Each structure stands twice: as C-alpha cells, then as structure tokens.
C-alpha cells in the first residue's frame, strides 16, 4: 500500500505546520477582534454613538461564529473526502484574502452604509475559514502523533491562538507606539497595517503546508474504504455520533466564553471610561503577558492529559471557571491596572487548562472517515454559544445590569460545560486508525462503544 512505502513526515515538521497554520489563521481572526474593540465603532458605526457602536461592532465580530459551523461542514466535507492537506491550504487562502480586503475597506465616511455591510460579508468569510481550519490542523497533529504522546503533539495547533493573540496585540502596540496617541492617524490608516501584513504570513503558511504529506490515518482510511463512498460526512456523523457532536460543543462553550471575553470584550472594557479606564498601550501590553501565560497553561495541560486523561484536565477548567466568573468583575472593578491584569491573565490561564487537551480530545471521539467534520462541528457549535453570544451579550448586560451580570452569564456557561464533560467518556486510549467495518452498517457509534468498535479496551 502507498502509505507503507511513503516516508512519514517528521513530527517536528508536522508540529510546525499545524502550529504555523493556526497562528496565521487566528492572527487574522484576532486582529479583527482587537480592531472591533478599539477602532470599528468609530470607523464603521460613527452615527450610532459610543455605546451602540460598540454593540454593533461586536455584532459583526459575532457573525464569524455563526459562519464557523458552516465552515466546519463545508471544509469538513472536503477534508474527509479529499484529504486534510488540500483543505487546509484552501482555508488559509480564504482567510488571507478576506483579511487583506478588510484592511483595504474604506470606512462609513466614504462608502456610507455599504461599508459595514461589506465588513460583515468579509467577517463571515473569515468565520468560514476558521471553521474549517481548527479541525484540520488538530487532525494533522493527532493523526501523525504516537498514541502515547497524542496530547503532547496536539498542543502545537492549540498554541496557535496564544501566539496569534500575542502577535496581534504586539502589532497594534507597535503601531500605537509609532503613532503615539494620535487617534486621527490610527483611525485613518494605522489600524489597517496588521490586516495588510497578514499577506506575508499567509505566504509563509502556504509554503509550510505544501511541504508535508497527507496523514497516515486518512490514507489508511482511503485504502480500507474510499473517501468517495462517504457521500455526505455531515449526514454520517450526525447519524452515527450525534451525541459526541452536541456534547462536544457543550464542553467547548465555556472555553470560547472565557477566551473571547478575554481577547475581545476585556480589551474594550479595559480602554472604556466606564470600564477599567486604562490607556490603549497598557491594555495591549497586558494582552501580550496574558497570551504568554495562556500559552504556558495550554502546553502544560496538553502534556499532562497524556497521563491523567483529557476529561480529567478539562473538568478542572470547568470547575474553576464557575467561581472565577463570579469573582472576575469585582476584581477588575477596583479600577486599577493590577485588578484588570489579574482578571485578564486569570481568565486566559483557566481557559488554557482545557484548551491544551481539546486538540486530542475531539479528534479521538470520531472515526477517520468523518473525523474532520465531526471534530469541526463539535468545536464550532461551542463557538456559536460561547464565542458569538458572549462578547455581544456581555456589552448589553454590562450597560443594562452592570458587569456582575456578565460574570453570571459566564458561570452559567461553565456549569453547562461541566455537565457535558461529565457525561462524555475518556478518549486518550482510543485508536486514530479505524478497523475495517461493514460499509453498509447503520449501527450508531457512541462514546461508550467507540473503543470496542475500534479495537481498544474501554478506559
């Protein structure tokens, strides 16, 4: 068979390719979140005023999370049929083009109502790209990794968001330092630079991804059962493993709520006069520090999950998130930079505890022939509730009921995710290559019998 004679790509190259790709994709995604907090209310929604402009800006931010499940379906379909490598190249291209076009988009003063409409369309395309990116990148690492080190190697695509958050904040910080506090220059053209620079990163990412081979698990699945025979992976995954998709999305809800509260809403809260009232430069510096801590907890938790299990580590995050959510805004409500720093860093650190194991946790739940679609759908369903609702509703809750109401919302998400992770089984000892199965079998595969089907004793 072909995959027996083709030399496997070194794990370091696979790890670099998966990390570089998610870093670039999430850099493009995060500079939008930073701009939505600092710039877009004035550039694209000036007629709405400060409060309504922020809500409208985060509404465009949330559009991407509505698009993400659609991206998981679209790119999951081709990723399960044509392969991980080709699909990941397509997601990177779509993200790069959309991001550069945002950087070139004139504001409402020039285009009027057309400017925010085009912005929403481009943000939707960004969401499609990220919706297809995460599952493919984690599958790239998880399907190549040795079984006993899957948690270790699956952290590399998970490190992408931390690196991207630091890079996006650093880019805006550098622009702010160069331009000083001249808001006119920053609002006119300074904010566009990170969007335009992404074209360089996309070029690097494409080169890296074109140097790796298709994953052994996908090639093995094609030899056992041609991918073309799976006519609609989205239908098959919901017919065979709907429980894993829905509960997986529930587990991810608190992760998205914590992360996008930390990377988007808190950036706006920190610079707002009604929030922490800090200057833009201070908030961006704290973002970079928080990204470093988040990256460290992501790496440690992923490695630890190889020993103690994915579910155990994720459960710890869910348990910690509930009291933390209730304490978050009282801590930051002190109005000091120290209080804001503790709140921001603590939020992303707790998020990282669960984010490390998730890179292996979701891929391990699904069969190879629809793994791209299944893992992507579970991940992005969590993004709709935790990532789309949180920043949008948080701004309204804070203005109507005070910041403590936002903490109650996050605590509710934590409780939901806690229930879902308790319900799901452990996955760390499962195979990534499927055993031969009857192509005509309609038997559903659940969390408690997937191991037996794949020839691995249950944990």
């Amino acid at each position: 068979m072909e995959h027996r004679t083709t030399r496997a790509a070194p794990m370091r190259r696979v790890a670099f390719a998966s990390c570089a790709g998610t870093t670039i994709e999430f850099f493009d995604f995060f500079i939008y979140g930073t701009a939505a907090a600092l710039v877009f209310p004035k550039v694209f929604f000036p007629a709405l005023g400060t409060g309504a402009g922020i809500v409208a800006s985060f509404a465009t931010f949330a559009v991407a999370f509505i698009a993400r499940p659609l991206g998981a379906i679209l790119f999951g379909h081709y990723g399960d049929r044509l392969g991980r490598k080709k699909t990941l190249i397509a997601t990177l291209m779509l993200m790069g083009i959309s991001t550069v076009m945002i950087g070139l988009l004139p504001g409402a003063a020039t285009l009027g109502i057309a400017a925010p409409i085009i912005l929403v369309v481009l943000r939707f395309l960004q969401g499609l790209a990220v919706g297809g990116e995460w599952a493919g990148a984690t599958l790239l690492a998880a399907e190549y990794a040795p079984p006993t080190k899957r948690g270790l190697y699956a952290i590399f695509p998970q490190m992408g968001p931390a690196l991207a958050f630091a890079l996006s904040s650093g880019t805006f910080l550098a622009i702010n330092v160069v331009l000083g506090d001249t808001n006119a220059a920053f609002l006119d053209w300074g904010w566009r630079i990170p969007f335009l620079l992404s074209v360089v990163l996309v070029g690097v990412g494409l080169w890296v991804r074109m140097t790796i081979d298709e994953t052994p698990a996908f090639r093995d699945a094609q030899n056992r059962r041609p991918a073309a025979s799976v006519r609609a992976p989205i239908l098959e995954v919901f017919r065979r493993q709907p429980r894993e998709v829905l509960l997986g999305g529930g587990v991810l809800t608190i992760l998205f709520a914590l992360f996008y509260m930390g990377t988007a809403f808190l950036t706006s809260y920190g610079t707002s006069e009604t929030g922490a009232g800090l200057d833009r430069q201070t908030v961006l510096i704290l973002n970079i520090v928080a990204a470093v801590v988040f990256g460290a907890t992501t790496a440690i938790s992923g490695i630890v999950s190889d020993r103690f299990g994915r579910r155990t580590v994720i459960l710890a995050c869910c348990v910690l998130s509930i009291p933390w959510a209730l304490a978050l805004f009282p801590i930051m409500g002190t109005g000091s930079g120290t209080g804001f720093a503790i709140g921001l860093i603590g939020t992303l650190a707790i998020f990282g505890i669960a984010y490390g194991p998730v890179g292996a946790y979701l891929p391990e739940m699904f069969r190879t022939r629809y793994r791209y679609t299944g893992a992507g759908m579970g991940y992005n369903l969590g993004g709709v509730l935790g990532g789309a609702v949180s920043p949008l509703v948080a701004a309204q809750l804070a203005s109507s009921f005070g910041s403590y109401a936002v903490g109650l919302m996050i605590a509710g998400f934590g409780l939901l995710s806690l229930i879902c992770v308790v319900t799901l089984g452990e996955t760390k000892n499962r195979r990534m290559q499927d055993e031969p199965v009857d192509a005509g079998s309609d038997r559903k595969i659940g969390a408690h019998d997937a191991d037996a089907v794949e020839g691995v004793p249950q944990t």
Side-chain angles (χ1 to χ4, degrees), residues 284-304:
L284 290 172
I285 291 173
L286 291 175
N287 281 351
I288 296 172
V289 175
V292 173
V293 175
F294 152 47
T297 56
T298 298
I300 293 170
S301 63
I303 295 170
V304 167

Side-chain angles (χ1 to χ4, degrees), residues 198-281:
S198 69
V199 70
V200 178
L201 297 177
V202 169
V204 173
L206 288 174
W207 174 76
V208 170
R209 286 191 167 173
M210 292 178 71
T211 63
I212 59 174
D213 296 324
E214 187 54 77
T215 69
F218 179 80
R219 286 178 287 169
D220 181 72
Q222 281 189 309
N223 286 325
R224 295 180 183 276
R225 181 183 184 186
S229 67
V230 184
R231 289 177 294 181
I234 183 63
L235 297 180
E236 186 167 4
V237 73
F238 273 109
R239 181 163 57 92
R240 293 178 178 270
Q241 291 187 263
R243 179 177 181 275
E244 282 72 19
V245 173
L246 297 177
L247 290 177
V251 170
L252 269 291
T253 298
I254 185 58
L255 273 72
F256 279 102
L258 290 171
F259 188 57
Y260 288 103
M261 286 296 298
T263 59
F265 178 77
L266 291 186
T267 298
S268 175
Y269 180 87
T271 56
S272 171
E273 293 182 1
T274 58
L278 303 175
D279 63 87
R280 184 191 304 147
Q281 184 169 324

